[in-house]
């Protein structure tokens, strides 16, 4: 080939172009900021981007710029950060001051209330629950979903109990971890709320809760700790209330010392809406993003006042940098920050309805597993082949619940009421007669075929309603009464608590009259927890608690009533016989005096109180019946002697001895025999839901780690697993123990408060006895 030939010259040109292109690529790569390099660690990318922000840009990231967003920084590829309610689904679009915008494309799947989710005792369903919300939030362009709600039920009167997960920190922790994992796997951040002890809505913005450190760490914080250290939750919301004299959104001990210090939380602490009250306390005590303070947003506590303090030297820049670093960390985790030189990507979310058939089926499945059969004298399941007429009685039979309750409200594409679900199941084979029976408090939201045409039921003459209901009961083969509570003021709703445990609107007397007119009366109650039932419970043959069951609730209820689904729910909260039996009320420790409430019951919350004080509840924690029967046998306790950390495998056999397929929740409680410090009589430390065919038997194994035997010692700043003997109790509720054995810890170990759950405990030789810490309830 000639050196000067056209071919040679062309090859030389191509080589030069290739060399130039490679050189440009290398130069571009060298110039490319670290924060845009996906191969770099998230922490390094956040640090690089932090250094490129001006002080004013940083401050813009730590407070709201609208009802549900914080500002972006377009020049660096930082978008607005979008948040939304809530724990039960993706809330419809709202404007300033929560004005409903009436969009036509923001329908979402209304999931059952999370108290109902907890009643399933099924962590796999919690994962599915979170995934449904995460997928729909992602499609709506939401980055942070404000849920789950992880507060412990201290009083059955709390207006938000329906969106909490019951009275037990272990059950709440297990369900919360799976919920968060399911949701965050969709590329959306969960926000564990309300940190901490938002135990009452009465005076929630100001109430000062006096809680001792051990109670705080053993009862009210474990679910949050699990959310952070096990589920990796990216955001946490501060609560409205005060704890020990400081608002939770400005609480040094909660936010800086425990959450960020002991637990190593790397994400964002966001305030509840309007939960910040002071610039200096919010700045210095761990609040990262202020939300909900009204416009103008530049005047919010963490806006211009914060900027002014930075300029004057009142606040160190390092505090601002820590807040922004956390903000950026979460945005990188969610893959939100993009190269500003690259055109913004179009929305790649799948087209079509947010609420898919698959999501609706999951909602129905959760509802079916949540229903708790409280009583059954061989009336359920109903057999349509033997029934000609059913009287459906009660305002809740035609009520819709999803679009109520406060920030947890959802706008579903439809909602199947109880009456519709029963009608769907029976068709024309059985005659249904409906009677309202009572006026729902506040007026129930009545069902219509198209959402947007909801109507509040008119108030009718009560005596006529009762007479019509009794007449319908007399001519029916079976009565299905569907009553309970609703989301109206003074019942299950944000911003207020119930006044008592009574069924509203004369329902107690109505039920008595119905069962007198027709002894074959099934009572179905919907609501967010316990009600008093003493005046009629002994007279009714069947009782089912259905919580707030979501958009498929009516179909789910019909499936359980007619035996298509065997109920397997268990109570996540104790149902007392009367309000005075509950600990906070027995000790006159609710709602507080002069703005302060002291948690006198200490550790004795829920069943811990009833069991320790030997008070019989109406229905105990963990209780729930089935259409089949189960037998427990062959308990075997196997210590792990090869581990540096005490572990115990609890093994037993569980058999379905009935004629129907069904599921049993096997619950494991630990009871210290001779504790050196005050401890509740027993505590839930393990459970497993098992599905069995008729005649089937399974061997069940549950591992208890050192935490199952531990109590918190504030003086040692750690969790003490004390040497000694422990009873291991296995059964179907806190009061229904079938198997028991004894396990001995040979030595005392202590795990520091700041140790992750997987860290090995340091050994501590017990000397001179163990510290004893008591509250008023424990001394009584």
């Amino acid at each position: 080939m000639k050196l000067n030939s056209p071919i040679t010259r062309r090859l030389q040109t191509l080589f030069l172009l290739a060399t130039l292109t490679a050189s440009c690529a290398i130069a571009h790569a060298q110039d490319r900021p670290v924060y845009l390099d996906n191969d770099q660690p998230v922490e390094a990318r956040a640090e690089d981007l932090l250094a490129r922000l001006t002080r004013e840009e940083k401050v813009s990231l730590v407070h709201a710029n609208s009802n549900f967003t914080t500002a972006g920084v377009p020049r660096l590829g930082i978008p607005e950060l979008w948040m939304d309610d809530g724990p039960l689904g993706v809330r419809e679009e709202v404007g300033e001051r929560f004005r409903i915008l009436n969009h036509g494309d923001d329908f979402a799947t209304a999931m059952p209330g999370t108290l109902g989710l907890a009643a399933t005792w099924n962590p796999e369903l919690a994962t599915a629950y979170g995934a449904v919300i995460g997928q729909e939030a992602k499609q709506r362009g939401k980055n942070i979903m404000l849920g789950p709600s992880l507060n412990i039920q201290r009083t059955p009167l709390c207006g938000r109990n329906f969106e909490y997960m019951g009275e037990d920190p272990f059950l709440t922790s297990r369900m919360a971890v799976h919920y968060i994992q399911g949701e965050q796997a969709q590329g959306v951040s969960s926000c564990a709320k309300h940190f901490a002890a938002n135990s009452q809505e009465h005076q929630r913005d100001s109430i000062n809760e006096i809680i001792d450190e051990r109670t705080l760490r053993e009862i009210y914080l474990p679910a949050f700790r699990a959310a952070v250290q096990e589920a990796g939750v990216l955001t946490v919301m501060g609560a409205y209330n005060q704890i020990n004299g400081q608002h939770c959104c400005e609480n040094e001990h909660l936010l800086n010392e425990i959450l960020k210090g002991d637990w190593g939380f790397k994400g964002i602490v966001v305030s509840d809406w309007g939960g910040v009250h002071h610039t200096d306390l919010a700045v210095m005590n761990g609040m990262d993003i202020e939300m909900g303070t009204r416009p103008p947003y530049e005047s919010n506590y963490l806006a211009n006042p914060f900027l002014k303090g930075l300029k004057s030297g009142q606040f160190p820049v390092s505090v601002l940098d820590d807040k922004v670093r956390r903000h950026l960390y979460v945005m990188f985790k969610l893959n939100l920050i993009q190269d500003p030189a690259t055109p913004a990507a179009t929305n790649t979310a799948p087209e079509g309805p947010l609420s898919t058939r698959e999501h609706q089926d999951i909602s129905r499945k959760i509802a079916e597993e949540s229903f708790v059969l409280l009583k059954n004298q061989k009336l359920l399941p109903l057999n349509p082949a033997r029934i000609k007429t059913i009287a459906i009685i009660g305002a809740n039979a035609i009520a819709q619940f999803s679009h109520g309750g406060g920030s947890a409200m959802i706008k579903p594409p439809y909602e199947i009421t109880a009456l519709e679900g029963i009608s769907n199941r029976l068709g024309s084979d059985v005659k249904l007669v409906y009677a309202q029976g009572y006026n729902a408090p506040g007026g129930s939201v009545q069902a219509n075929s198209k959402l947007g045409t909801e109507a509040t039921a008119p108030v009718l003459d009560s005596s006529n309603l009762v007479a019509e209901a009794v007449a319908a009961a007399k001519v029916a083969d079976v009565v299905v009464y569907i009553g309970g509570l609703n989301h109206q003021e003074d019942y299950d709703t944000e911003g207020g608590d119930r006044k008592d445990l009574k069924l509203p609107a004369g329902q107690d007397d109505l039920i008595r009259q119905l069962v007198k007119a027709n002894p074959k009366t099934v009572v179905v109650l919907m609501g967010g927890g316990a009600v008093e039932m003493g005046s009629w419970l002994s007279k009714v043959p069947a009782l089912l608690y259905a919580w707030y069951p979501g958009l498929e609730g009516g179909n789910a209820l019909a499936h359980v009533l007619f035996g298509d689904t065997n109920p397997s729910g268990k109570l996540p909260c104790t149902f007392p016989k009367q309000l005075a039996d509950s600990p906070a009320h027995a000790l006159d420790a609710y709602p507080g005096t002069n703005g302060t409430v002291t948690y006198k019951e200490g550790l004795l919350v829920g069943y811990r109180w009833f069991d320790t004080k030997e008070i019989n509840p109406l229905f105990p924690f963990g209780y729930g019946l089935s259409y089949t029967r189960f037998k427990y046998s062959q308990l075997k306790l196997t210590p792990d002697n090869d581990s540096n950390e005490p572990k115990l495998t609890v093994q037993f056999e569980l058999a379905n001895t009935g004629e129907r397929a069904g599921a049993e929740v096997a619950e494991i409680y630990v009871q210290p025999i001779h504790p050196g410090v005050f401890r509740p009589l027993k505590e839930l430390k393990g459970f497993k839901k098992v599905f069995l065919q008729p005649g089937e038997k399974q061997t069940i194994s549950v591992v208890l780690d050192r935490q199952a035997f531990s109590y918190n010692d504030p003086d040692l700043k750690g969790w003490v697993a004390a040497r000694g003997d422990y009873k291991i109790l296995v059964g179907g509720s806190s009061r229904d123990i079938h198997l028991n054995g004894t396990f001995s810890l040979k030595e005392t170990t202590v795990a520091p408060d700041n140790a992750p759950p997987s860290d090995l405990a340091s050994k501590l030789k017990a000397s001179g006895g163990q510290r004893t810490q008591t509250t008023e309830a424990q001394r009584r």
Side-chain angles (χ1 to χ4, degrees):
M1 181 184 299
K2 294 182 179 179
L3 294 178
N4 258 348
S5 70
I7 295 176
T8 302
R9 290 196 297 272
R10 179 171 178 77
L11 288 173
Q12 290 172 336
T13 300
L14 290 173
F15 176 77
L16 289 172
L17 287 173
T19 303
L20 181 60
T21 300
S23 299
C24 290
I26 292 171
H28 178 73
Q30 291 173 342
D31 292 340
R32 186 174 177 80
V34 170
Y35 83 89
L36 294 178
D37 186 349
N38 293 333
D39 294 329
Q40 295 294 324
V42 166
E43 291 80 3
R45 298 176 70 190
E47 207 63 40
D48 179 69
L49 182 52
L50 177 67
R52 299 171 186 271
L53 289 162
T54 68
R55 182 171 55 190
E56 287 72 17
E57 288 171 335
K58 292 177 183 178
V59 171
S60 75
L61 297 179
V62 301
H63 66 86
N65 73 335
S66 78
N67 205 45
F68 277 114
T69 62
T70 60
V73 182
R75 73 178 184 86
L76 293 171
I78 302 174
E80 289 185 321
L81 187 64
W82 278 88
M83 310 178 197
D84 202 359
D85 295 314
L88 315 186
V90 188
R91 187 176 181 172
E92 67 193 294
E93 299 299 332
V94 297
E96 293 297 340
R97 303 193 180 186
F98 298 96
R99 178 177 59 87
I100 294 175
L101 299 179
N102 293 313
H103 289 180
D105 59 355
D106 55 355
F107 296 95
T109 303
M111 305 299 284
T114 36
L115 187 58
L117 172 65
T120 70
W121 292 62
N122 188 336
E124 292 181 2
L125 288 183
T127 302
Y129 190 113
V132 167
I133 298 175
Q135 289 166 16
E136 295 187 8
K138 185 78 170 179
Q139 193 169 343
R140 284 265 297 278
K142 311 301 181 184
N143 309 130
I144 298 174
M145 287 302 298
L146 304 176
S149 301
L150 304 183
N151 300 108
I152 297 299
Q153 184 180 131
R154 176 178 182 252
T155 166
L157 299 185
C158 178
R160 299 186 81 170
N161 282 342
F162 73 95
E163 60 171 292
Y164 299 163
M165 295 187 188
E167 69 189 27
D168 184 72
F170 182 81
L171 175 61
T172 298
S173 296
R174 295 306 92 213
M175 301 302 284
V177 166
H178 285 79
Y179 175 122
I180 292 165
Q181 290 173 337
E183 185 167 65
Q184 293 197 161
Q186 315 309 316
V188 173
S189 169
S190 299
C191 182
K193 65 180 189 181
H194 312 82
F195 190 66
N198 188 165
S199 307
Q200 64 187 66
E201 288 295 281
H202 178 74
Q203 296 181 337
R204 67 175 184 175
D205 295 308
S206 59
I207 192 71
N208 181 25
E209 300 170 350
I210 306 302
I211 311 175
D212 69 86
E213 185 71 7
R214 183 181 170 195
T215 296
L216 189 65
R217 288 190 182 259
E218 287 193 29
I219 302 296
Y220 297 99
L221 297 188
F224 289 97
R225 182 178 185 180
V228 170
Q229 295 189 330
E230 295 182 56
V233 73
L234 292 174
T235 59
V236 171
M237 180 192 290
Y240 282 123
N241 50 283
Q242 300 180 66
I243 291 182
N244 299 329
Q246 274 194 331
H247 278 96
C248 291
C249 288
E250 305 169 348
N251 195 297
E252 164 77 7
H253 184 51
L254 281 180
L255 304 184
N256 282 339
E257 294 177 4
I258 296 178
L259 179 62
K260 296 179 178 180
D262 289 349
W263 301 346
F265 178 62
K266 293 183 178 181
I268 297 169
V269 178
V270 58
S271 77
D272 206 337
W273 268 230
V276 171
H277 301 271
H278 308 88
T279 296
D280 55 347
L281 294 178
V283 168
M284 299 305 297
N285 290 356
M287 180 50 57
D288 298 320
I289 296 180
E290 176 191 1
M291 296 298 296
T293 308
R294 291 183 173 178
Y297 296 104
E298 294 77 14
S299 299
N300 287 182
Y301 295 102
L302 291 186
N304 284 343
F306 185 15
L307 182 60
K308 181 179 178 181
L310 288 163
K311 291 178 177 178
S312 70
Q314 179 185 0
F315 304 126
V317 175
S318 60
V319 174
L320 172 63
D321 284 350
D322 180 70
K323 300 179 191 302
V324 177
R325 184 180 292 112
R326 293 171 179 276
H327 189 124
L328 299 177
Y329 173 84
V330 171
M331 296 194 92
F332 279 119
K333 280 286 190 178
L334 299 177
N335 196 31
L336 297 178
I337 295 174
Q338 305 297 328
D339 189 339
T342 303
T346 57
N347 185 7
T348 57
E351 296 181 358
L354 291 169
S355 181
T356 63
R357 184 71 259 173
E358 179 186 6
H359 290 179
Q360 294 153 11
D361 288 344
I362 291 171
S363 181
R364 189 196 69 251
K365 171 67 172 173
I366 293 169
E368 290 172 353
E369 283 199 33
S370 76
F371 297 157
V372 181
L373 184 61
L374 295 174
K375 183 178 180 180
N376 189 24
Q377 295 176 337
K378 298 183 179 180
L379 181 55
L380 291 176
L382 300 175
N383 185 347
R386 298 179 180 179
I387 299 172
K388 294 182 179 179
T389 302
I390 299 178
I392 309 295
I393 297 172
N396 276 357
I398 61 169
Q400 294 179 328
F401 302 103
S402 298
H403 203 239
S407 59
M409 69 171 62
I410 305 298
K411 185 176 79 174
Y414 65 88
E415 182 171 349
I416 304 297
T417 67
L419 180 58
E420 290 172 333
I422 293 171
S423 178
N424 291 343
R425 171 61 176 80
L426 297 177
S428 59
D429 295 336
V430 177
K431 180 180 179 181
L432 299 180
V433 178
Y434 173 72
Q436 183 175 321
Y438 66 94
N439 286 304
S444 64
V445 177
Q446 292 182 315
N448 287 279
S449 59
K450 295 181 179 179
L451 197 91
T453 58
E454 295 175 347
T456 301
V459 176
L460 303 175
D461 182 82
S462 296
S463 59
N464 288 342
L465 291 177
V466 171
E468 291 172 359
V470 170
K474 288 180 177 179
V475 300
D477 297 312
V478 174
V479 174
V480 177
Y481 175 79
I482 303 172
L485 308 175
N486 62 21
H487 288 310
Q488 297 297 323
E489 184 178 358
D490 294 334
Y491 294 98
D492 292 323
T493 191
E494 182 177 359
D497 293 338
R498 293 157 62 188
K499 306 304 181 186
D500 53 44
L501 286 186
K502 306 290 185 184
L503 280 171
Q507 291 183 68
D508 291 315
D509 181 62
L510 174 60
I511 293 172
R512 287 194 298 269
Q513 292 196 48
L514 291 176
V515 74
K516 182 178 180 181
N518 190 330
K520 291 184 177 181
T521 296
V522 179
V523 174
V524 178
L525 297 179
M526 295 182 174
V531 295
E532 292 179 5
M533 309 178 195
S535 67
W536 50 263
L537 180 59
S538 64
K539 300 177 176 64
V540 302
L543 172 62
L544 185 73
Y545 205 95
W547 316 104
Y548 292 112
L551 86 172
E552 277 283 323
N555 288 332
L557 178 61
H559 290 172
V560 170
L561 288 176
F562 296 101
D564 306 317
T565 298
N566 194 340
S568 61
K570 301 270 190 166
L571 291 180
C573 50
T574 302
F575 278 24
K577 291 182 178 178
Q578 58 185 358
L579 182 61
D581 290 342
S582 292
H585 302 274
L587 297 173
D588 194 24
Y590 167 90
T593 304
N594 298 323
T596 296
V597 59
T598 300
Y599 282 35
K600 297 177 184 178
E601 71 280 2
L603 303 172
L604 299 185
V605 176
Y607 70 91
R608 289 167 169 79
W609 166 268
F610 285 87
D611 291 353
T612 304
K613 298 298 183 180
E614 298 182 343
I615 300 170
N616 288 325
L618 186 65
F619 296 107
F621 174 82
Y623 175 84
L625 302 175
S626 172
Y627 295 155
T628 190
R629 301 179 303 278
F630 300 97
K631 181 180 179 181
Y632 293 75
S633 64
Q634 303 297 316
L635 177 64
K636 181 181 179 181
L637 304 179
T638 306
D640 183 357
N641 296 320
D642 296 328
S643 174
N644 292 323
E645 183 177 5
K647 290 184 179 179
L648 176 69
T649 298
V650 180
Q651 182 177 297
F652 54 95
E653 291 187 352
L654 185 64
N656 181 348
T657 60
E659 298 176 352
R660 287 176 175 266
E664 169 71 339
V665 178
E667 304 164 28
I668 301 172
Y669 296 84
V670 173
Q671 177 182 339
I673 295 178
H674 296 295
V677 300
F678 177 84
R679 300 188 71 170
L681 179 66
K682 62 178 178 287
E683 298 180 282
L684 180 75
K685 296 300 178 180
F687 65 89
K688 191 165 186 178
K689 190 163 194 173
V690 185
F691 293 82
L692 297 170
Q693 295 298 317
E696 184 182 2
K697 179 189 295 186
Q698 284 190 22
T699 299
I700 311 302
S701 293
V702 176
V703 176
L704 303 182
D705 61 14
R706 72 173 308 281
Q707 192 67 22
F709 305 96
S710 299
Y711 65 90
N712 188 267
D713 188 320
D715 293 332
L716 293 177
K717 298 186 183 301
W719 291 85
V720 180
R723 70 173 180 238
D725 295 333
Y726 297 81
K727 282 187 178 180
I728 308 301
L729 310 173
V730 181
S733 82
S734 63
R735 294 292 181 96
D736 181 31
I737 303 302
H738 294 270
L739 306 171
N740 71 85
T742 301
F743 167 66
S744 296
L745 274 179
K746 302 304 182 183
E747 58 184 345
T748 296
T749 60
V750 179
D753 285 332
N754 60 3
S758 59
D759 278 11
L760 297 180
S762 61
K763 294 181 179 179
L764 175 74
K765 299 298 183 182
S767 59
Q770 297 165 316
R771 296 172 177 81
T772 300
Q773 203 177 35
T774 60
T775 65
E776 179 176 332
Q778 295 154 9
R779 290 191 294 269
R780 286 172 60 136

